[in-house]
Amino acid sequence: MAKPPATPPTATPPMLRRVNAGKVLGVLTRARVMTGTGLIEATGLTRATVHAVCNDLISMGWVVEHDPGRNDAAVGRPSRRFEFNSRAGYVLGIDIGAARTTVLVSDLRGETIAKAGRSVAGAQSPGERTEIVHETIVEALAGAEIANDQVLAAGVGVAAPVDRDGNILVDDEFWRRFDAGLAKRLTDLHGWPVLLENDANLAALGEHWLGVGRNVGDLAVLLAGERFGSGLMDSGRLLHGSRGGAGEMVYLKLVEGVGDTHGIARIAREQGAAAVADPSVGTALRELAGDRPVTAELVFAAAEAGDAVALGILQHVAARTARVVATLGILFNPELVVLGGAVAEAAQALLPDIEKHLAGFTSTPPRVAVSSLGEAIVSVGAVRHALNYVEHQALDLQLSCRRE
């Protein structure tokens, strides 16, 4: 026997007040100072409702009221002026990479207040890695002069698939390294919610928010340093897949002309080192490196100076990267693919060759650009992830600045 349709909940006055408060707060978080009249026009609510809701939000700490200001031409009482309190609390954006942890402290408009970073290269156990992350957080909060109870949430990026509920997929040994109970450990230490997300997904959020992918709905961001990883957005929504594996690049092992997930920096470094080690190869890289190990940066620098060997390496890297971009273009059909991470600035030199090869791989090549966010791309996306949580949960959060 079919169940009768569920009865929708009754719209009680407290429920309506909450809905209206969310509507007003949503407008104010994306504006600067607004008058009561402006909020009425933006929300469609009555004057009495807007003022009552704003009074509630002021008492909660989410909104501040400014002096009305004088306007001798206006008739009647001056209009009240309201602004979202961007210092009502703070969020953290944390990038936990294989070699380094970076922490950004941001206000609720996304303005960076402080930054700290530490190497995690020597950490062997999950506990050691978590302790380094904790120490970096403490350093960043001290630099911002922010107390623990002023933090409302932290977004955290890890190089592993993460599902919609913030759980790490641990089917692979490399990914299992990041399953350190990190979210619970940090919450136990600091008291605020920790929101895990895949680093490439956060890169896509950051790029969509503040980068060259701003307002591009169908977007792919390709982290291209040591390993390839991609974050995908469809109509402005992150793609996770059933277990968080959407955008994982293990399939590149099956792609002819690619064969593994090694990124631009790794390929350039390894081929540059091989050239220097071969005494029959004449290259300026040998003199540039001296006694130092060959790095990707040295290969790009030698190519810029016209070294034939370095130029050949970058041509190979561009052709290989074009195949990776083409697979994303064919599978997901993004409007734009952004190359991000530590190699982004140098990768600008690869774009002409990448675009030339793309035309031969797919009839609908996406636009390709390099990120303007540099190494901060994941931590910026982590800030956006935390801000999304705060905006969604705002009316349930307790602010340390709340007026009693």
Side-chain angles (χ1 to χ4, degrees):
M1 182 177 179
K3 293 182 179 180
T7 303
T10 303
T12 62
M15 182 185 298
L16 289 175
R17 192 117 174 187
R18 181 183 177 86
V19 170
N20 292 336
K23 187 179 293 187
V24 170
L25 194 58
V27 171
L28 286 173
T29 56
R30 287 160 177 79
R32 292 295 174 180
V33 178
M34 292 193 71
T35 64
T37 301
L39 284 171
I40 292 166
E41 294 173 352
T43 63
L45 301 174
T46 66
R47 181 174 299 275
T49 299
V50 164
H51 286 182
V53 165
C54 284
N55 288 339
D56 288 345
L57 293 173
I58 290 168
S59 69
M60 294 173 68
W62 285 112
V63 171
V64 292
E65 184 171 3
H66 294 280
D67 291 336
R70 183 175 178 83
N71 184 352
D72 294 331
V75 178
R77 296 176 59 187
S79 183
R80 298 176 69 184
R81 299 163 67 236
F82 306 100
E83 185 177 13
F84 174 64
N85 183 8
S86 62
R87 298 298 174 97
Y90 300 86
V91 298
L92 304 183
I94 306 174
D95 175 13
I96 304 178
R100 187 171 180 81
T101 286
T102 302
V103 177
L104 296 185
V105 182
S106 167
D107 69 14
L108 299 184
R109 287 200 187 276
E111 297 292 330
T112 299
I113 307 301
K115 177 181 179 179
R118 294 195 179 192
S119 170
V120 296
Q124 299 298 319
S125 69
E128 289 174 327
R129 292 176 66 85
T130 303
E131 182 60 25
I132 291 173
V133 175
H134 164 65
E135 291 170 356
T136 312
I137 290 169
V138 170
E139 180 184 343
L141 291 178
E145 299 182 345
I146 300 299
N148 248 331
D149 64 357
Q150 293 175 276
V151 177
L152 300 179
V156 178
V158 293
V162 179
D163 67 19
R164 296 181 185 90
D165 298 319
N167 301 309
I168 296 176
L169 177 65
V170 294
D171 292 357
D172 182 277
E173 180 59 35
F174 178 81
W175 297 332
R176 197 174 295 122
R177 293 168 51 196
F178 294 92
D179 185 35
L182 183 68
K184 183 178 185 306
R185 287 168 184 255
L186 291 180
T187 297
D188 289 345
L189 284 167
H190 297 279
W192 21 258
V194 175
L195 315 168
L196 288 185
E197 182 55 276
N198 172 259
D199 56 356
N201 282 352
L202 292 181
L205 276 181
E207 200 61 48
H208 185 257
W209 178 36
L210 294 178
V212 296
R214 186 179 302 184
N215 300 325
V216 176
D218 298 303
L219 174 69
V221 174
L222 189 62
L223 293 182
E226 289 298 303
R227 299 172 74 247
F228 280 121
S230 68
L232 307 169
M233 300 191 84
D234 180 74
S235 300
R237 179 179 61 89
L238 274 179
L239 295 182
H240 285 90
S242 62
R243 300 173 62 199
E248 284 301 322
M249 309 298 281
V250 180
Y251 76 88
L252 291 177
K253 296 178 180 180
L254 308 177
V255 176
E256 182 180 353
V258 182
D260 51 49
T261 61
H262 298 171
I264 289 172
R266 179 168 177 173
I267 295 294
R269 181 182 69 248
E270 290 180 348
Q271 292 200 356
V276 168
D278 186 346
S280 67
V281 176
T283 172
L285 277 171
R286 193 171 287 107
E287 288 71 32
L288 282 174
D291 296 331
R292 298 172 297 166
V294 176
T295 63
E297 290 79 9
L298 286 178
V299 175
F300 278 95
E304 187 176 8
D307 180 71
V309 171
L311 285 168
I313 291 172
L314 294 196
Q315 287 170 1
H316 169 76
V317 168
R320 187 173 179 276
T321 304
R323 289 177 179 270
V324 177
V325 171
T327 62
L328 293 175
I330 292 167
L331 291 171
F332 300 104
N333 193 219
E335 175 186 342
L336 175 67
V337 174
V338 178
L339 303 180
V343 299
E345 184 176 353
Q348 186 76 42
L350 303 176
L351 288 187
D353 278 345
I354 289 174
E355 291 168 350
K356 180 182 68 177
H357 287 292
L358 266 180
F361 293 145
T362 171
S363 59
T364 56
R367 290 191 294 117
V368 184
V370 298
S371 174
S372 60
L373 300 179
E375 294 187 16
I377 188 170
V378 174
S379 49
V380 167
V383 166
R384 183 66 261 173
H385 190 42
L387 289 175
N388 288 346
Y389 170 85
V390 169
E391 291 174 10
H392 187 262
Q393 303 290 334
L395 299 179
D396 295 315
L397 296 176
Q398 179 70 42
L399 303 179
S400 62
C401 67
R402 179 170 182 168
R403 301 174 185 174
E404 301 296 344

